[in-house]
Amino acid sequence: MTSFLESSYSMVHMDNAADQPSVQQFMQQLEKGTDESKQETMRMILTVMLNGDPLPQLLMHIIRFVMPSKTKALKKLLYFYYEICPKHDATGKLKQEMILVCNGIRNDLLHPNEYIRGATLRFLCKIKDAELLEPLLSSARQCLEHRHAYVRKNAVLAVSSIFQHSEHLIPDAPELILTFLQAENDNTCKRNAFVALSSISHEKALDYLTIVFDDIPGMDELTQLVLIEFIRKDAVVNPGNKARYLRLIFDLLEASSNTVVYEAATSLTALTSNPVAIKAAAGKFIELCIKVSDNNVKLIVLEKVDLLRKKNEGVLDGLAMEILRVLSSPDIDVRKKALDIAMDMVSSKNVEEVVMLLKKELAKTVDQDYEKNNEYRQLLIHAIHSCAIKFSEVAASVVGLLMDFISEFNSASAVDVIAFVKEVVEKFPNLRASIIERLMVTLSEVRSGKVYRGALWIVGEYCVDENDIREVWKRIRASLGEIPILASEQRLLDEQPDGENSEQTSDSSKPAATPSGSRKVLADGTYATESALTSESSAAAKLEAVKAASKPPLRSLILDGDYYLSTVLASTLTKLVMRHAEISNDVERTNALKAEAMLIMISVIRVGQSPFVKAPVDEDSIDRIMSCVRSLAEFDTKKDIETVFLQDTRKAFREMVQAEEKKRSAKEAAEKGKNMTQVDDVLNIRQLSKKSTTEGADDAVLDLEKATGGDASGEDLSSKLSRVVQLTGFSDPVYAEAYVKVHQFDIVLDVLLVNQTSETLQNLSVEFATLGDLKVVERPTTQNLGPHAFQSVQSTIKVSSTDTGVIFGNVVYDGASSTETNVVILNDVHVDIMDYIQPAHCTETQFRTMWTEFEWENKVNINSKAKSLREFLQQLMKSTNMACLTPEASLKGDCQFLSANLYAKSVFGEDALANLSIEKDGEDGPITGFVRIRSRSQGLALSLGSLKGLNKTE
């Protein structure tokens, strides 16, 4: 890990390089300034030096005017300067001035103030030059015996650092630190000393661990943490000690510190895969998750439990109920994570307990007001759904509970429930009778159109008993109210009291003059007037009163303009009549039901064309209802109609359920397959394998190396070349090209500059500017470029959204005279949105909800020469990086039309939805249609719509 950290560097941003003082100005400020002004000057000097200018002329001035100061803040800045200043001359020898520096450092190491001593010792940890360290060694050793702990804790780290860089200077460092460690009483000093000892001598650290082994459970938190880390590393080097270490770590699981418990549990899982140990560690993780209040910590710990579950299949299933205790947390993300883990741990042994707890949580969402209550309720419903589908023994009790809550839930939750009921009623035939009975009771209480549609579909498909059909018919009639709807609504309107009539009645008692012609004369001799506007508003008020009157639920939904529900009602009534005719010999009752069904359907159409509804009925709904009327009239003679209504619809739903089941099983198999070892895979036996640098490396160290880019796998040459963008022409004085490297949230432009002239280009700089949600955070430094010379510079640009962005700029350098400036304009670099878009999946309900909420839409016309509709769909998914949500079963078959939903998510958390509707005109005709792209932000919708390859096939 140290290999790549050694090559790291610091850079401090300077707002305006033109304001940088000259070396002479720096010298004057150091000579004449106060301690406060010198601090500001030193900060400026450090900034300039960190940005590439070493300023070697200032060393003597800083020794003369800054080193003698007693101000602590200035002293700290002085040591920052010593850390980065050039210490060697051109021949590689130590500069003469460094003798004075050494003298000043030695004085500070013996300074009576412990802060200055400590800061100086911290500086020694960063020095690697043996020639500079040698005269300071005795002073540093003396600090190990200082009375103040702050000095001692930094002194022990300084001794360790000197030993690591120049072992010959202090060969007895391990023994020295071990002696110090045994005599030390301060906890921080002991912690630092053990860290130092373990880094320079593993054997001596092991000796100390052996001495204090029995006392470790009673030590302080800091010391316990470093000892646990050492144990984890030593168990790889000395496997024989593992049994002893495991007993100690089991004891540390009961420590009072949450940090120690977390580290002990992590170490336990790293040292052994014994089921007892894994369960104990997982139990402690769950306990921590309940105790700790920080939601980020809860999520990290739950992720640990999830990893343990995946690596140890079936071992943690008994802890499902413990995981569900985390639901007491108010944060929705923590609850979601806990539910996801618990659902993967449910088995036939604990499913009843899990479902019982979920039922209680569901009841709480009705009675209590949680944060994001509706979202939490949906999570619980989905969890109960998955349990019921996997384990049929709990389906009956679950369905009953959820159906009791249908009328109390909000629309989204109730829709989830009814979708779950549809799946259960298909998969478990023995529950159909009880479900139909409960649905009949709840029909009069449902207030959501989507839920009513689902309930009507269920009773239409699965009512197969004569008595059930009659009972459902009564419930539907009761929910519809008086039929015909239009006549009853008109009668209500006529019965409304007329405000003007009552006013005229009260005025009739007054004496009135005899009317002349058609005019009415009032008592005071003036003519009475009547406003047409008043009569119209009165009629409108009466109509609104009729609309606002209390009505049965189904009638109310139809009058509100839910004609999709009306078509489902017509289809349900048709199925019920056909099934009654099939199972009953009572022809008169069948005819009566048929006539009443036709009356209801025609009544719905009539009222949909009247002013009593909020929106007029659409043509598609009229066609669908009228086709049901014709089917009722003709099904006695045309048996194919009866087959379509009674068999084909249920068959289609059955196939859909089976397709979902296959998809679910395939997903589970894929998850299990990730942890499987194939029969022909190579077995790695650690004891027989070749020693490597990563063998036995600590997981935490490897994780840190990955996070800091230490293990970044090299890109192949072809992928690098594809990202090279030419910025200038070959005939320009300066040729420039950029390698565009995209990280998750930023873009690095590695620009190659080539001087194509025979003259040196002075003060050459590359200036970049951006358009869109891009921001230049690191600008290239100014360079002097010799004749035909090459130079690479870098610029970092921050990306904050997936909006289309453009990077443009120019190369500027000085001309022959000081007042002349030459500029070379660069080609624009366009940010590729595909680097930030990733395929994602969501449920149909979530897709519809987002489609309704998102306000930005980009409609792109399609005109393609692709060979088939499926080929165009595949091309669209590839060009937009979106995943197809439409099930494969729905896309099967060969026809001239295709419709599909697609979904993707950006790395910034933005959702992108797309709906594709295309058709093909003949075998060799073009594919035409459109794709509608929706997102919450305008930029994402426009960027996806303008992608190359979306409008036509290459």
Side-chain angles (χ1 to χ4, degrees):
M1 186 174 77
T2 55
S3 59
F4 69 90
L5 287 180
E6 284 173 357
S7 60
S8 61
Y9 60 92
S10 302
M11 182 170 283
V12 181
H13 175 64
M14 183 179 290
D15 291 332
N16 191 350
D19 294 340
Q20 177 182 325
S22 65
V23 174
Q24 294 299 327
Q25 288 174 322
F26 277 138
M27 288 180 175
Q28 288 179 4
Q29 291 168 2
L30 291 173
E31 284 180 28
K32 300 178 180 179
T34 62
D35 280 358
E36 287 74 16
S37 65
K38 285 180 183 178
Q39 288 179 38
E40 192 58 41
T41 305
M42 286 298 293
R43 288 193 187 95
M44 181 68 74
I45 291 171
L46 289 170
T47 303
V48 173
M49 291 179 69
L50 284 171
N51 282 319
D53 190 347
L55 298 177
Q57 309 94 319
L58 293 179
L59 177 58
M60 200 61 213
H61 264 69
I62 288 175
I63 291 172
R64 287 174 57 197
F65 301 109
V66 178
M67 194 169 73
S69 173
K70 296 182 180 180
T71 307
K72 294 185 179 67
L74 194 55
K75 188 76 75 175
K76 187 175 182 179
L77 291 169
L78 174 67
Y79 281 114
F80 284 155
Y81 172 78
Y82 286 160
E83 188 180 334
I84 62 174
C85 73
K87 302 174 184 64
H88 298 84
D89 56 21
T91 61
K93 292 183 179 180
L94 199 68
K95 288 183 177 180
Q96 294 295 323
E97 294 92 332
M98 297 313 291
I99 297 172
L100 299 172
V101 172
C102 278
N103 188 50
I105 295 172
R106 190 190 303 112
N107 291 337
D108 286 342
L109 284 173
L110 301 174
H111 200 281
N113 184 284
E114 62 271 7
Y115 172 80
I116 292 176
R117 277 205 190 198
T120 310
L121 288 164
R122 287 167 70 89
F123 164 71
L124 286 188
C125 295
K126 300 169 186 176
I127 299 300
K128 302 175 184 177
D129 197 314
E131 201 174 345
L132 194 60
L133 287 170
E134 190 173 3
L136 305 174
L137 199 56
S138 60
S139 303
R141 293 183 71 141
Q142 287 179 33
C143 290
L144 286 172
E145 300 170 2
H146 194 270
R147 60 181 176 77
H148 205 284
Y150 179 75
V151 177
R152 296 198 304 274
K153 76 175 184 180
N154 285 300
V156 74
L157 292 177
V159 170
S160 167
S161 176
I162 294 169
F163 181 83
Q164 285 175 319
H165 298 305
S166 307
E167 186 176 339
H168 64 279
L169 292 180
I170 183 167
D172 62 334
E175 292 79 8
L176 184 66
I177 294 177
L178 181 60
T179 307
F180 171 83
L181 192 55
Q182 291 171 337
E184 184 58 56
N185 293 321
D186 184 79
N187 293 331
T188 310
C189 293
K190 287 171 74 174
R191 181 257 177 207
N192 283 13
F194 188 80
V195 169
L197 186 60
S198 60
S199 65
I200 63 174
S201 174
H202 188 89
E203 293 74 16
K204 294 291 182 185
L206 186 59
D207 292 343
Y208 177 75
L209 179 69
T210 306
I211 295 168
V212 300
F213 192 84
D214 294 332
D215 301 327
I216 292 175
M219 288 184 176
D220 66 291
E221 178 185 344
L222 291 173
T223 311
Q224 284 178 339
L225 289 174
V226 294
L227 290 172
I228 289 172
E229 185 180 353
F230 178 79
I231 284 170
R232 201 161 57 224
K233 293 176 181 176
D234 186 62
V236 178
V237 181
N238 302 306
N241 296 334
K242 192 179 286 188
R244 192 166 61 128
Y245 290 156
L246 286 174
R247 288 196 296 274
L248 171 65
I249 290 175
F250 265 106
D251 291 340
L252 290 176
L253 286 177
E254 306 303 324
S256 57
S257 167
N258 291 337
T259 316
V260 173
V261 172
Y262 177 83
E263 287 296 329
T266 305
S267 301
L268 190 60
T269 58
L271 294 181
T272 180
S273 56
N274 183 288
V276 176
I278 296 297
K279 275 188 177 180
K284 283 298 172 182
F285 281 138
I286 296 168
E287 192 178 309
L288 278 178
C289 195
I290 296 167
K291 284 166 60 178
V292 177
S293 59
D294 191 318
N295 291 327
N296 293 320
V297 175
K298 288 178 186 282
L299 290 170
I300 291 169
V301 173
L302 285 174
E303 187 63 37
K304 280 277 188 185
V305 176
D306 198 25
L307 287 172
L308 282 179
R309 179 193 61 77
K310 289 174 182 175
K311 286 183 180 178
N312 305 274
E313 195 70 37
V315 173
L316 302 183
D317 287 356
L319 296 176
M321 291 299 291
E322 295 296 313
I323 284 281
L324 290 175
R325 289 171 58 199
V326 181
L327 294 179
S328 58
S329 169
D331 186 73
I332 191 69
D333 294 321
V334 174
R335 288 170 165 176
K336 185 177 186 302
K337 186 71 178 173
L339 277 174
D340 289 343
I341 297 171
M343 288 306 102
D344 290 325
M345 294 164 67
V346 173
S347 64
S348 55
K349 296 178 183 177
N350 58 17
V351 64
E352 291 187 2
E353 294 178 336
V354 169
V355 169
M356 191 177 298
L357 191 145
L358 293 176
K359 284 180 183 178
K360 290 179 181 176
E361 288 294 316
L362 192 62
K364 287 180 186 176
T365 64
V366 178
D367 301 333
Q368 301 174 13
D369 188 19
Y370 283 90
E371 179 195 5
K372 295 187 178 178
N373 203 22
N374 295 334
E375 191 177 341
Y376 180 45
R377 184 183 296 149
Q378 284 179 273
L379 289 176
L380 290 171
I381 290 170
H382 285 303
I384 293 172
H385 182 172
S386 63
C387 288
I389 297 303
K390 283 183 186 175
F391 306 98
S392 57
E393 60 267 23
V394 298
S397 61
V398 166
V399 170
L401 173 80
L402 292 180
M403 290 180 66
D404 287 343
F405 285 132
I406 279 183
S407 57
E408 297 182 33
F409 287 162
N410 70 328
S411 179
S413 301
V415 169
D416 288 339
V417 171
I418 208 72
F420 162 57
V421 172
K422 284 167 74 173
E423 190 171 351
V424 169
V425 82
E426 171 59 37
K427 292 191 72 173
F428 305 114
N430 56 318
L431 299 178
R432 287 176 187 169
S434 59
I435 290 175
I436 295 295
E437 187 178 340
R438 282 179 176 272
L439 271 181
M440 291 178 191
V441 175
T442 54
L443 276 179
S444 59
E445 300 170 358
V446 176
R447 294 290 180 269
S448 166
K450 290 182 180 179
V451 179
Y452 227 116
R453 291 202 300 266
L456 286 175
W457 186 88
I458 292 171
V459 296
E461 285 293 337
Y462 298 101
C463 271
V464 293
D465 183 73
E466 189 176 348
N467 292 329
D468 284 346
I469 292 173
R470 292 175 184 174
E471 183 63 31
V472 167
W473 199 277
K474 287 179 187 175
R475 298 281 182 180
I476 292 174
R477 283 287 285 107
S479 190
L480 267 174
E482 189 179 346
I483 300 293
I485 302 175
L486 180 58
S488 58
E489 292 294 311
Q490 185 63 50
R491 190 174 67 252
L492 278 175
L493 180 63
D494 295 339
E495 291 174 357
Q496 282 290 318
D498 192 338
E500 288 188 15
N501 291 342
S502 60
E503 188 180 337
Q504 287 175 8
T505 307
S506 62
D507 287 345
S508 61
S509 57
K510 298 180 182 179
T514 306
S516 171
S518 61
R519 292 177 176 175
K520 188 175 181 181
V521 181
L522 299 178
D524 58 357
T526 59
Y527 290 112
T529 58
E530 181 180 9
S531 170
L533 186 62
T534 307
S535 60
E536 286 177 12
S537 62
S538 174
K542 287 165 63 178
L543 185 60
E544 287 300 320
V546 171
K547 287 182 180 180
S550 178
K551 297 179 178 66
L554 187 52
R555 187 191 193 98
S556 175
L557 289 167
I558 291 171
L559 292 174
D560 282 344
D562 192 347
Y563 298 113
Y564 187 15
L565 174 61
S566 304
T567 61
V568 175
L569 172 64
S571 176
T572 300
L573 294 176
T574 305
K575 290 175 188 175
L576 291 174
V577 171
M578 289 179 179
R579 190 161 283 115
H580 190 275
E582 188 179 56
I583 62 176
S584 173
N585 297 323
D586 192 343
V587 180
E588 289 185 8
R589 182 174 288 276
T590 301
N591 288 335
L593 291 177
K594 186 190 299 184
E596 191 171 3
M598 289 181 174
L599 176 63
I600 291 171
M601 294 179 205
I602 299 300
S603 174
V604 169
I605 294 175
R606 289 283 310 280
V607 80
Q609 296 168 336
S610 72
F612 292 101
V613 291
K614 289 187 177 178
V617 64
D618 56 284
E619 291 293 331
D620 290 340
S621 298
I622 294 175
D623 289 347
R624 174 64 175 152
I625 295 172
M626 288 307 297
S627 71
C628 289
V629 173
R630 284 193 295 273
S631 300
L632 281 177
E634 299 171 359
F635 81 91
D636 289 333
T637 56
K638 297 180 180 178
K639 292 298 179 184
D640 289 346
I641 296 176
E642 193 172 337
T643 304
V644 169
F645 273 94
L646 298 185
Q647 296 177 22
D648 290 355
T649 52
R650 190 185 298 187
K651 182 183 175 184
F653 180 67
R654 187 181 300 119
E655 287 176 357
M656 191 181 85
V657 171
Q658 289 169 353
E660 286 294 321
E661 190 66 33
K662 282 181 184 176
K663 192 191 293 183
R664 200 179 292 132
S665 302
K667 187 178 178 182
E668 290 177 2
E671 286 293 324
K672 286 184 179 178
K674 288 179 183 177
N675 300 319
M676 281 185 176
T677 304
Q678 298 298 324
V679 291
D680 56 348
D681 281 356
V682 176
L683 290 175
N684 291 319
I685 301 173
R686 184 167 54 82
Q687 287 83 350
L688 304 179
S689 63
K690 184 180 178 182
K691 294 284 182 183
S692 66
T693 53
T694 57
E695 187 202 348
D698 191 12
D699 287 344
V701 176
L702 293 176
D703 287 346
L704 180 61
E705 191 165 338
K706 286 180 182 178
T708 50
D711 74 331
S713 55
E715 285 185 281
D716 61 337
L717 185 61
S718 61
S719 66
K720 280 190 173 183
L721 290 175
S722 67
R723 291 182 173 275
V724 173
V725 180
Q726 185 176 339
L727 299 178
T728 63
F730 292 113
S731 59
D732 286 318
V734 179
Y735 172 75
E737 65 180 25
Y739 167 54
V740 183
K741 189 173 184 180
V742 179
H743 297 291
Q744 191 168 7
F745 298 112
D746 60 7
I747 299 170
V748 177
L749 295 179
D750 192 346
V751 184
L752 172 67
L753 300 170
V754 182
N755 181 0
Q756 301 197 104
T757 67
S758 301
E759 300 173 355
T760 300
L761 303 182
Q762 299 282 343
N763 296 328
L764 184 143
S765 64
V766 185
E767 299 173 352
F768 286 110
T770 58
L771 189 67
D773 283 342
L774 304 174
K775 182 181 179 183
V776 180
V777 293
E778 181 190 330
R779 300 179 187 276
T781 55
T782 303
Q783 309 285 340
N784 293 331
L785 206 55
H788 304 290
F790 294 76
Q791 181 70 42
S792 288
V793 295
Q794 280 195 345
S795 178
T796 304
I797 295 164
K798 183 182 177 185
V799 185
S800 55
S801 80
T802 44
D803 289 1
T804 301
V806 181
I807 305 166
F808 52 92
N810 48 48
V811 176
V812 183
Y813 59 93
D814 292 345
S817 63
S818 58
T819 57
E820 185 183 349
T821 301
N822 296 320
V823 179
V824 180
I825 307 298
L826 303 179
N827 289 333
D828 296 346
V829 178
H830 292 264
V831 177
D832 188 1
I833 189 178
M834 297 304 292
D835 292 319
Y836 302 99
I837 296 291
Q838 298 168 348
H841 293 273
C842 66
T843 63
E844 185 184 353
T845 307
Q846 290 170 332
F847 183 90
R848 290 178 183 276
T849 304
M850 287 189 286
W851 187 268
T852 307
E853 289 176 355
F854 291 174
E855 55 188 12
W856 291 107
E857 178 176 308
N858 186 12
K859 188 174 180 179
V860 183
N861 292 321
I862 303 296
N863 189 359
S864 170
K865 295 179 181 178
K867 295 179 182 177
S868 67
L869 298 173
R870 289 297 296 275
E871 181 184 324
F872 182 82
L873 174 62
Q874 294 299 325
Q875 176 202 336
L876 179 66
M877 291 165 61
K878 185 178 179 181
S879 66
T880 59
N881 233 10
M882 301 183 88
C884 182
L885 300 182
T886 306
E888 187 65 30
S890 303
L891 297 173
K892 278 183 180 177
D894 189 19
C895 70
Q896 302 300 308
F897 179 80
L898 184 144
S899 179
N901 291 333
L902 298 95
Y903 177 59
K905 207 174 181 72
S906 77
V907 295
F908 308 102
E910 299 168 305
D911 299 292
L913 314 174
N915 173 256
L916 175 69
S917 298
I918 50 176
E919 61 182 349
K920 189 172 177 66
D921 187 10
E923 287 294 325
D924 302 320
I927 291 176
T928 57
F930 53 84
V931 57
R932 294 163 66 194
I933 301 169
R934 284 196 183 185
S935 70
R936 204 179 294 277
S937 64
Q938 182 186 18
L940 181 56
L942 293 175
S943 301
L944 279 172
S946 60
L947 285 173
K948 182 181 177 183
L950 183 62
N951 295 324
K952 56 185 177 181
T953 306
E954 297 295 333

